[in-house]
Amino acid sequence: MKASFVSSSAMQNVLRLTISQSQNKLQQASTEATTGTYADSGVSLGAGAAKSINLTSAIAQAASFKMSNAVVELRMNASQTALSSLKDAGDSLVSNLTALQASQDTTSIAVALQTASATISQLVSTANTSVNGEFLFGGTNLDSQPLSDQSSAVSDTIVSALNDYATGLGKDVSELTGEEIGSFITDTVEPMFSESAWTDASEGWSAASSTNMTSRISGSETITSSTNANSEGMRYLALASVVVSALFGQDLSSDAQSTVASKAIAYAAQATSGIVTQQSELGLAQERLEKANDALDAQSTLLQGNLVDLQGVDTYEASTLVNQLQTQLETAYTLVSKLQSLSLVNYL
């Protein structure tokens, strides 16, 4: 019978190799038990790894759209709030001017002048609203303040033109009829608030762009996501206010004052109508944004499900494997310890 020799050193080396392999497997199993996905998708999926990359990229793109859409939504919500305040200002101006038509006493005129001044201040302040350092009503010109208050200069121009107009008719300003003052407002004052005059680089009110912002809200859809200070609503609100502040300070006849009030009311009503139109356009864009976000959420959920199906592992099975490997490692450590303690000296 032939005797076989067993080396304790060789046994230790085998156990060390087993320990090293078990440690690697334990790390992989622990990762899979924790994350619920393969520790190394490339190795586990093979050719399917390309599909995994595509799914991950699509999910990241949907998340990116949701983040940018949140900024767009914030801007549009702030714009709606600002436009609502301008509409309220226009309604208040109409209310005060309507009262003035009924009674052209000193108090009513003073209230109308005060309301007109406050409306201009609110218009300029609101039009210059910014969010995250970008002006809401600048159109594509986000970095420059859209409006500057030119009411004083324009009022002076109107008063000067009114005196020339009356002189041309061979009258004093106080002798102008309602029809004559109406023609003056229509032919001389109103053109001062045309879009070209409003945006004139040297004397205009606005530095805004008339082109609105567009935003891509999904892979296939863009919306107009802003409005601008060159809109008819804002221009006519300024026109109504300046007509009041410039002309009610003059020595006009009762008939002329009534016409001024009527024209200002009409301009203010046109302004509020224009502002409501701006709100409606933004509202439609907000509705499309909401639907796009819903679609992105649904798309993301579907893609996440596909990715889990592709990369997912049974966490219970992975946890069981972790426990088994830990037991194996503990056993291997014990055996190595015992082998290291073996010595021929103990048998001499």
Side-chain angles (χ1 to χ4, degrees):
M1 181 176 179
K2 185 177 180 181
S4 298
F5 297 94
V6 178
S7 168
S8 61
S9 176
M11 293 178 64
Q12 289 182 46
N13 289 336
V14 170
L15 286 172
R16 288 193 183 98
L17 178 61
T18 300
I19 289 172
S20 177
Q21 292 173 341
S22 296
Q23 286 175 331
N24 290 335
K25 290 180 180 179
L26 178 61
Q27 182 179 5
Q28 178 178 327
S30 297
T31 299
E32 292 179 351
T34 302
T35 63
T37 60
Y38 291 121
D40 190 334
S41 298
V43 172
S44 301
L45 296 177
K51 183 178 180 181
S52 172
I53 292 172
N54 291 336
L55 287 172
T56 302
S57 176
I59 292 170
Q61 184 184 50
S64 177
F65 275 125
K66 284 297 294 291
M67 288 181 63
S68 62
N69 287 353
V71 176
V72 174
E73 183 179 14
L74 176 63
R75 287 176 55 86
M76 289 198 292
N77 287 341
S79 296
Q80 287 283 23
T81 300
L83 289 171
S84 292
S85 71
L86 289 182
K87 180 183 178 300
D88 291 342
D91 290 339
S92 176
L93 182 61
V94 169
S95 176
N96 282 287
L97 291 174
T98 301
L100 180 61
Q101 277 189 312
S103 176
Q104 296 172 2
D105 58 89
T106 304
T107 300
S108 297
I109 292 175
V111 170
L113 288 171
Q114 184 178 4
T115 303
S117 177
T119 300
I120 291 174
S121 296
Q122 184 171 351
L123 170 63
V124 174
S125 174
T126 301
N128 291 333
T129 301
S130 64
V131 172
N132 295 329
E134 297 179 342
F135 290 100
L136 295 179
F137 297 102
T140 56
N141 190 5
L142 300 175
D143 299 328
S144 299
Q145 182 172 287
L147 282 193
S148 57
D149 187 353
Q150 299 293 330
S151 58
S152 179
V154 173
S155 293
D156 290 343
T157 301
I158 291 172
V159 171
S160 177
L162 178 64
N163 289 323
D164 292 342
Y165 176 72
T167 300
L169 294 176
K171 296 182 175 182
D172 289 332
V173 169
S174 60
E175 297 174 332
L176 293 174
T177 65
E179 183 179 353
E180 289 168 341
I181 198 70
S183 297
F184 170 76
I185 293 172
T186 301
D187 299 336
T188 303
V189 179
E190 187 173 340
M192 295 180 185
F193 292 84
S194 65
E195 186 170 348
S196 59
W198 183 257
T199 57
D200 183 79
S202 59
E203 298 180 351
W205 294 61
S206 175
S209 168
S210 296
T211 303
N212 292 323
M213 289 286 294
T214 58
S215 302
R216 181 168 293 279
I217 57 175
S218 69
S220 60
E221 189 174 7
T222 59
I223 60 171
T224 299
S225 57
S226 74
T227 185
N228 64 78
N230 301 333
S231 65
E232 181 181 277
M234 293 195 185
R235 288 187 288 111
Y236 273 75
L237 187 58
L239 170 58
S241 302
V242 170
V243 163
V244 173
S245 61
L247 297 180
F248 268 110
Q250 307 307 307
D251 185 21
L252 297 177
S253 66
S254 177
D255 183 35
Q257 285 184 341
S258 180
T259 300
V260 170
S262 295
K263 295 290 286 186
I265 289 172
Y267 290 141
Q270 190 170 347
T272 55
S273 176
I275 290 169
V276 168
T277 298
Q278 287 177 276
Q279 288 182 295
S280 298
E281 291 171 349
L282 279 178
L284 291 173
Q286 286 175 301
E287 183 178 359
R288 289 177 61 189
L289 178 64
E290 183 179 355
K291 290 181 178 179
N293 281 336
D294 290 341
L296 287 170
D297 287 337
Q299 177 188 359
S300 182
T301 299
L302 178 62
L303 293 173
Q304 287 282 7
N306 290 338
L307 187 61
V308 168
D309 290 342
L310 186 64
Q311 293 184 341
V313 298
D314 187 335
T315 54
Y316 176 78
E317 182 179 336
S319 298
T320 301
L321 180 58
V322 168
N323 293 332
Q324 291 175 349
L325 290 170
Q326 286 175 336
T327 301
Q328 289 178 8
L329 280 171
E330 290 171 0
T331 302
Y333 289 142
T334 301
L335 290 174
V336 169
S337 177
K338 289 183 177 181
L339 284 172
Q340 287 177 337
S341 66
L342 291 177
S343 174
L344 289 174
V345 175
N346 297 332
Y347 300 95
L348 294 178

